[in-house]
Amino acid sequence: MIFQFLLSMSMLWTAESGYSNKSPGVNTLGVVDYMNGESSLVSFRGKLVLMDSVAWCYPWHIRFDNASKSETCVSYIRVRDMATGAVISNISQSCQHTFGAAFVYNDTIYIYATRCARYQTPHAWCELPQQKQPCACWHGGSAPVSDCAVDVFWSTDLVIWETKAAFFPGHLLPNVDVTAVQGRSDMNFLMIMEGGGLVATNASTPTEGWKVISEHGPHVGCPSIKQVNGYFYVVGGGVGVVGYRSRDLVNWSPAASKVMACGNPNQDRHTVSHPGLFSWRPMPSAMTENVSMMITNNTRNWDKDASDLDLVEWNSPLGTQTLLVFICGNQHSDGFGMIAAFNGSLEQYFNSLFP
């Protein structure tokens, strides 16, 4: 009842101008989470799943460790079933990691995450330990760069996970993403780093052999990379979401259409009602501040701070769709995980951005 009341109150939000940043043909379906970090949508063995990066102030009663006074698992990675919303796997080996990114290859899911104990802005339900600073390998950190690593976690069943260090970048590092590569003899997999670094491996699995091949890829925050029909596409952003494509990983062209997926918060901040996808509900009424954020979020930052866009082609009950997951607001105090749909394949979606 409290959620229904607050959601009905959302109609009283003051409309603001300037919310015209949606991609052509993209329909925002609604909210899938609150205060989450980087997320990836993937299709794994016929199931649509969402990888989430969970940080310190994600409400404790739904964190798997459920230990608000413990710093043994400040941040971690989990996987959810998009049909039911249920958590399929909390990856315990991923404690003290964040900035997750997932992709699937040969019926194995691979998740890349940075070694980083990630804190957030405190809330009524979450006080930060005293004098906590950004994690050592993130912006503002002070770790020796030799300690900053991207680790990979992989599984064939979402139950048993293996892990190893995938790559030491030689500098402070937040986000990466990985794609399989076709049609090139010099690489089987490609990783993009936030800031434009490109890293490749010719190994048979994407767990080893990573080497920097360029520092001059697209300078995109929170990047997502895909290879479709001979093109490499990179989308992402921090303040605003942008897109680029290239055939040779040297010459990059910007998207002609906006990649931004945040529209008007008065219209888009609602629960999902879409065949095949779960309908998210805010946390129990005891967490009233969490629920009230559905109406008190600072809408002026709604489209300015959209970030962490990832996308996947999905055979939905309505036909082939491209689903996009992203954050509107911000990840520190009042951000919402959102999902949107484009009616068409991944190739058709990218073609709409690069006509």
Side-chain angles (χ1 to χ4, degrees):
M1 292 295 294
I2 189 170
F3 171 66
Q4 292 175 342
F5 169 74
L6 289 171
L7 196 59
S8 65
M9 288 292 290
S10 68
M11 299 303 294
L12 300 179
W13 290 332
T14 300
E16 298 186 32
S17 62
Y19 298 104
S20 60
N21 288 325
K22 283 190 181 181
S23 305
V26 170
N27 175 37
T28 302
L29 301 179
V31 177
V32 292
D33 209 347
Y34 172 72
M35 281 286 290
N36 59 304
E38 291 75 14
S39 301
S40 292
L41 275 173
V42 295
S43 180
F44 177 71
R45 295 180 178 265
K47 184 189 296 286
L48 186 68
V49 301
L50 180 70
M51 181 229 73
D52 279 330
S53 303
V54 178
W56 176 262
C57 279
Y58 191 85
W60 287 101
H61 69 296
I62 54 175
R63 283 175 53 113
F64 87 94
D65 51 321
N66 196 28
S68 60
K69 297 186 182 301
S70 170
E71 294 185 58
T72 59
C73 196
V74 170
S75 51
Y76 64 94
I77 307 298
R78 72 178 183 182
V79 180
R80 285 194 291 165
D81 186 337
M82 285 300 290
T84 65
V87 175
I88 301 172
S89 182
N90 290 303
I91 307 174
S92 59
Q93 301 99 309
S94 71
C95 284
Q96 316 301 49
H97 287 75
T98 191
F99 307 121
F103 92 110
V104 173
Y105 181 75
N106 282 353
D107 287 334
T108 301
I109 185 171
Y110 296 89
I111 297 174
Y112 298 81
T114 300
R115 293 180 191 175
C116 175
R118 182 178 185 177
Y119 296 90
Q120 292 166 299
T121 302
H123 285 268
W125 68 87
C126 172
E127 295 183 2
L128 295 188
Q130 291 184 353
Q131 304 300 317
K132 284 301 172 185
Q133 302 297 321
C135 67
C137 291
W138 193 27
H139 300 307
S142 58
V145 294
S146 59
D147 293 341
C148 297
V150 175
D151 293 329
V152 57
F153 306 85
W154 69 94
S155 175
T156 58
D157 58 9
L158 300 178
V159 177
I160 299 173
W161 292 87
E162 298 181 69
T163 183
K164 67 180 294 186
F167 177 63
F168 290 85
H171 53 74
L172 302 184
L173 176 70
N175 294 268
V176 302
D177 194 32
V178 173
T179 186
V181 175
Q182 296 180 341
R184 292 182 63 122
S185 61
D186 59 337
M187 66 182 72
N188 288 328
F189 305 96
L190 179 67
M191 176 190 295
I192 185 167
M193 298 186 289
E194 186 170 75
L198 297 174
V199 190
T201 179
N202 213 14
S204 59
T205 63
T207 61
E208 58 189 14
W210 292 99
K211 296 180 180 179
V212 175
I213 61 169
S214 173
E215 293 285 358
H216 304 292
H219 195 287
V220 173
C222 321
S224 176
I225 188 167
K226 308 290 182 187
Q227 187 190 29
V228 178
N229 195 25
Y231 280 103
F232 294 94
Y233 293 91
V234 174
V235 296
V239 181
V241 182
V242 295
Y244 295 89
R245 76 174 180 180
S246 173
R247 286 193 180 274
D248 58 10
L249 301 177
V250 176
N251 301 291
W252 294 88
S253 301
S257 299
K258 295 176 180 177
V259 183
M260 180 75 78
C262 291
N264 190 323
N266 300 351
Q267 299 172 358
D268 293 343
R269 195 163 49 194
H270 54 73
T271 56
V272 175
S273 179
H274 190 79
L277 299 178
F278 78 97
S279 181
W280 180 82
R281 291 290 185 271
M283 292 142 231
S285 57
M287 292 295 183
T288 54
E289 180 179 353
N290 247 356
V291 181
S292 68
M293 280 293 184
M294 291 289 283
I295 59 171
T296 62
N297 177 277
N298 186 346
T299 58
R300 289 175 295 178
N301 291 330
W302 185 257
D303 59 354
K304 296 175 184 176
D305 291 328
S307 60
D308 299 322
L309 185 145
D310 198 13
L311 60 172
V312 68
E313 186 174 303
W314 179 46
N315 291 322
S316 83
L318 302 180
T320 300
Q321 292 185 308
T322 296
L323 295 183
L324 301 89
V325 64
F326 49 97
I327 293 172
C328 293
N330 65 66
Q331 300 163 353
H332 301 292
S333 60
D334 56 8
F336 287 83
M338 307 290 293
I339 191 167
F342 174 88
N343 289 325
S345 66
L346 196 58
E347 181 177 0
Q348 289 171 319
Y349 172 71
F350 283 130
N351 286 341
S352 74
L353 302 179
F354 299 86

